[in-house]
Amino acid sequence: MVSSAKLKSVDFYRKIPRDLTEASLSGAGLSIIAAVSMMFLFGMELHNYLSISTSTSVIVDRSSDKDYLRIDFNISFPALSCEFASVDVSDVLGTNRLNITKTVRKYSIDKHLRATGSEFDSGPVTNMLKHDADNDEEYGEGSVALNGRNFDRISHQHSILVVNFYAPWCYWSNRLKPSWEKAAKIIRERHDPEIDGRIIMGRVDCTEEVDLCRRNHIQGYPSIRIFRKGSDVRDENGHHEHESYYGDRDTDTLVNTMEELVAPIAMDSHLALEGKSGKTEENAKRPAPSEAGCRIEGFVRVKKVPGNLVISARSGFHSFDGSIMNMSHVISDFSFGRKINARVMSDLKRILPYIGVSHAKLNGQAYLTDPEDHANVTVEHYIQVVKTEVMRSSHQLIEDYEYTAHSSLMHAHSVPVVKFHFELSPMQVLITENSKSFSHFITNVCAIIGGVFTVAGILDSILHNTLRLVKKVELGKNF
């Protein structure tokens, strides 16, 4: 066995007997300063170890989402009816998708941007509506001319009032006019308003009766509305819940539709029986917008090339008066790429405080013009998108799209629109989180302790020897 004496011979830290050591005030002061310095430097080193360092590089886009990019949006239009609001997408490669409905939802809203009901039903997209063949046959006028003075009175006299809101300059209104008047004449003959009183067909010239058409939220011509008397009266002012008709516009179809509307109503009762109409035109009649505004929300997928997302009033069988179209809007959300949940975004903020600042630059922005000012204004947003990837030390990859946006308002030569022109950068920003070694942290802590201890010892030795020298000099002078 190795003796204890031999073991003691390898002791690097040999002890001096306590009786041979001497304490001093200068040594005590330096010891306190050294301890405080050690604690301070240890705290700085610990903070540096716990903090996150990153490195940034710019590389060619290598997105995992390949050739397509998702755009999420939530935009409110106080003066655009859901009846005609359309979301279209186009790009420089020739892609042109009109009236996207599968991933888009619409809600009628009031002027305060509050939803006034459930999701607006856009119904099936109709590619062709039937009209009467063009002919020179005299058709006369079978419908009743309505205006702001007699509209409420006539609507209360009949169980059902079907109205054609039209404009004389509109091509589709002129296509509808012959069949409408023929159908109205046939219905008048079958159901005399003076004797029967269950149904009557009317017409409103929206170029003359602007206020009446605005009150009924008419934005496209011709718009056919079905008003029912009775349980659908909302208040004493005579406002009615009503339906829009989107079916064929030939005489036979119109007459059949009117007969289906009047069939459930008994001769001695002028109250409409809700939900009793026939099935042949079931898809052609839907609730009309209860308010003039519309909130459009959802998402679209676009190719990663320069393109446009356009929101406008669109219909293949209606005309629009651009001078009264108001495309004011408030953007609640407009973002690119997959949504990052709140927890992950919070972690990203800890790594890079500026991440997410330009993630949704348009959010909360309002582009409003006076609803009474029919300035025919188109609003264009020019957006440049850059992808940012953050590689965590845990090898978790987080993708984010940031963008800059510039907007302009200009007078439109036709129907105004809101256009989002987007362009994606071919480069992307790669941010890598650099992990720190625990062994490196321990090494630095040891270096701090040893370094401060050594420097304090040197300073104490210098100070002690200086004081001794001063005392010797003073003693020499005394003798």
Side-chain angles (χ1 to χ4, degrees), residues 50-68:
L50 295 177
S51 63
I52 300 172
S53 64
T54 60
S55 58
T56 303
S57 57
V58 179
I59 60 175
V60 176
D61 188 1
R62 58 180 188 185
S63 304
S64 60
D65 45 10
K66 306 276 173 81
D67 297 330
Y68 289 90

Side-chain angles (χ1 to χ4, degrees), residues 5-65:
K6 288 184 178 181
L7 284 175
K8 290 180 179 179
S9 65
V10 297
D11 183 8
F12 295 153
Y13 308 101
R14 302 195 178 204
K15 312 300 186 295
I16 298 174
R18 190 174 184 83
D19 294 340
L20 300 179
T21 60
E22 180 183 358
S24 64
L25 289 175
S26 62
L30 280 173
S31 296
I32 294 173
I33 294 173
V36 172
S37 299
M38 286 180 190
M39 293 176 62
F40 175 75
L41 293 175
F42 174 78
M44 295 289 289
E45 183 63 27
L46 179 63
H47 177 269
N48 182 60
Y49 174 71
L50 295 177
S51 63
I52 300 172
S53 64
T54 60
S55 58
T56 303
S57 57
V58 179
I59 60 175
V60 176
D61 188 1
R62 58 180 188 185
S63 304
S64 60
D65 45 10

